[in-house]
Amino acid sequence: MLYLLYTWAKAEGLTFPLHNLFQYQTFRAGLAWATAFLVAVAMGSRFIAWMRTKQGKGQPIRTDGIARHVIEKAGTPTMGGFMILAGMMVGTLLWADLTSVKVWVVIFVTGAYGLLGFLDDYAKVTKQTTAGVSGRMKLFIQTLVAVIAVLVLVLYGQAPNEAPRLTTSVAFPLFKNLIIDLGWFYLAFGAFIIVGASNAVNLTDGLDGLAIVPVMIAAAAFGIIAYLVGNAVFANYLAVPFVPGSGELAVFCMSIIGAGMGFLWYNAPPAKIFMGDTGSLALGGSISAVAVAAKHEIVLGIIGGLFVVEALSVMIQVVYFKRTGKRIFLMAPIHHHFEKLGWAESTVVIRFWIVAIILAFIGLATLKLR
C-alpha cells in the first residue's frame, strides 16, 4: 500500500525525505520484516491471555505419544498462527507492490490455508480431541486452493518480458538448460508441491520451536532466490531462468521471518502458545507458493528437506505397519522417534535447526553450481 503511494507521488512529481528508498525491494523487505515482527510481538501477551480464557483446556495432547507432553504441554492455548498471519499480512500489504499477481497469489494461499487451519484447530479445541476437520475434506480444500493459485499464475502471472511458457515449465537445479514444459500438467505438479509442503510443515510442528525456525530459514533462502531470479542481471550471471516480478516475493518472505520471530518470542520453550494448524498449514503453503511463483519448485525439496523427511517418516511408518503390523520408527513423525530414544526436546529441536540451515545452504548453492 505504501509502495503504491510512493509510485503515485512519483508520478505526480511529489517528493518527501527518503522518497527514493521506496523503489528498492531490499529496503521495503527490511521494513516488512520489522513491521511483521512488531505486530506479532505487540499481539502476543494480550492474544495469549485472551486465548486462555476462550480455549479452557487448550490444545488437546496425544495420549498415545510422549508421556511427559501430556503433563508439560497440557493447557497451552493454540491458534498462535493468528499472530504470525497478522504480522505477515500487515508487513506484506504495507510494503509489497500490490499490483503484482505473484504477491496476491501467495497471499491467497496463505490466507486460505490459515482459515482451513483455524477451522481444524477450532474443531479440536471445542471437541477436545486431536481429530479436527476430516482428512479428506482438508485435502480437498487444500488441493482446490492450490489449483486455483497455480492456474492464476499460469494465466495472469507471466510478465511481458518473461520467457515463453516459463510459467508451465519446471527448471532443474545443477543444469543450465534443463527446463521441461509440462503444459497444463503443470497445474497438478504445482498443486502437489503446495499441498505437500503445507502438510509436511504441519507434521513437523510437534515440539516447541521445531517448525517455526526451519520455516524462517526456508523463507530467508527463498527470499534470496526470489530477489536474484527477479533481477535480470543476477539471473543472467547465475544462468537461472529470469522470472520478472518475483523480486517482490522477497518482501513477503521477510514478513514471514519477522512474524516468525515475533511468534518465537512466545513459542520458545516452554511455549506459552502453539501455532496450531492455523499457522503450520499457512506457513507451509506460503513457502511452497513462493517456490512455485519463483520457478524453484525442485529446490524446495532441498531447502525444505527437513519437512520432507518428517512427512516421509509418517508415510513409511503407516505403510510398513499396515503390511507387517510392526513399526520402523519408535514413533512418527521422526522427531518423536528421537525423543523416544532419550533425546531431550531441546536437543531434537536444535539439531533439526542445524539440519535446516545446512539444507538451506545446499539449496542456495544450486544457484551457482550449474
Side-chain angles (χ1 to χ4, degrees):
M1 184 170 61
L2 293 179
Y3 177 75
L4 294 181
L5 180 62
Y6 153 74
T7 57
W8 171 81
K10 183 178 180 180
E12 295 294 324
L14 304 175
T15 59
F16 48 86
L18 305 179
H19 176 269
N20 287 328
L21 287 176
F22 283 81
Q23 67 181 303
Y24 299 113
Q25 291 168 340
T26 50
F27 176 74
R28 289 185 283 110
L31 290 176
W33 169 85
T35 301
F37 174 76
L38 292 174
V39 169
V41 169
M43 283 184 65
S45 297
R46 292 183 179 85
F47 182 76
I48 293 171
W50 184 75
M51 293 303 288
R52 285 188 181 278
T53 63
K54 295 295 182 181
Q55 293 187 7
K57 296 182 180 180
Q59 175 173 305
I61 307 298
R62 287 176 59 180
T63 55
D64 61 339
I66 307 298
R68 63 178 179 80
H69 286 189
V70 180
I71 300 173
E72 297 175 1
K73 301 180 185 296
T76 305
T78 186
M79 299 188 195
F82 270 122
M83 297 164 55
I84 304 172
L85 291 175
M88 288 171 59
M89 293 304 179
V90 173
T92 301
L93 293 175
L94 278 180
W95 300 111
D97 179 1
L98 299 184
T99 64
S100 169
V101 172
K102 291 181 173 62
V103 168
W104 281 111
V105 165
V106 297
I107 288 176
F108 166 69
V109 172
T110 303
Y113 280 17
L115 177 59
L116 176 61
F118 162 75
L119 295 175
D120 195 39
D121 287 335
Y122 184 79
K124 292 176 182 177
V125 171
T126 54
K127 298 177 182 178
Q128 278 299 296
T129 174
T130 55
V133 178
S134 71
R136 288 185 178 181
M137 178 58 68
K138 189 186 297 184
L139 185 61
F140 171 76
I141 296 174
Q142 286 178 300
T143 303
L144 178 63
V145 169
V147 169
I148 292 173
V150 177
L151 181 62
V152 171
L153 285 174
V154 171
L155 295 178
Y156 305 105
Q158 184 167 339
N161 54 339
E162 188 172 341
R165 308 301 296 174
L166 180 60
T167 51
T168 57
S169 298
V170 178
F172 288 81
L174 306 180
F175 299 94
K176 288 184 179 181
N177 300 311
L178 184 54
I179 302 176
I180 300 177
D181 185 1
L182 300 181
W184 288 107
F185 287 106
Y186 184 79
L187 287 179
F189 175 78
F192 172 78
I193 295 295
I194 294 174
V195 174
S198 176
N199 286 306
V201 173
N202 180 243
L203 291 170
T204 306
D205 182 34
L207 301 176
D208 297 349
L210 178 59
I212 189 61
V213 172
V215 164
M216 290 191 292
I217 293 169
F222 273 103
I224 294 171
I225 290 172
Y227 178 74
L228 293 175
V229 302
N231 185 295
V233 176
F234 290 139
N236 181 64
Y237 170 72
L238 295 169
V240 296
F242 171 47
V243 188
S246 69
E248 287 299 318
L249 299 176
V251 179
F252 177 78
C253 288
M254 288 302 290
S255 74
I256 296 177
I257 299 171
M261 286 182 173
F263 170 75
L264 186 60
W265 187 268
Y266 301 97
N267 186 243
K272 295 181 179 179
I273 191 168
F274 300 138
M275 73 166 69
D277 287 5
T278 306
S280 59
L281 290 179
L283 288 171
S286 66
I287 294 296
S288 54
V290 169
V292 171
K295 307 310 300 173
H296 272 69
E297 305 91 343
I298 303 300
V299 176
L300 176 63
I302 301 173
I303 294 175
L306 176 66
F307 306 127
V308 174
V309 170
E310 291 273 17
L312 285 176
S313 70
V314 174
M315 291 187 284
I316 292 171
Q317 184 87 319
V318 170
V319 172
Y320 190 77
F321 183 79
K322 285 184 176 181
R323 290 192 173 186
T324 67
K326 299 178 181 180
R327 292 177 172 85
I328 293 180
F329 306 105
L330 297 177
M331 185 177 175
I334 198 169
H335 55 261
H336 290 317
H337 171 79
F338 290 109
E339 281 193 292
K340 289 280 191 178
L341 287 176
W343 291 21
E345 179 175 343
S346 58
T347 302
V348 176
V349 170
I350 293 174
R351 286 178 177 172
F352 276 41
W353 290 354
I354 294 171
V355 171
I357 292 171
I358 293 172
L359 291 173
F361 277 118
I362 295 174
L364 289 173
T366 64
L367 291 173
K368 186 59 180 171
L369 300 176
R370 291 176 182 268

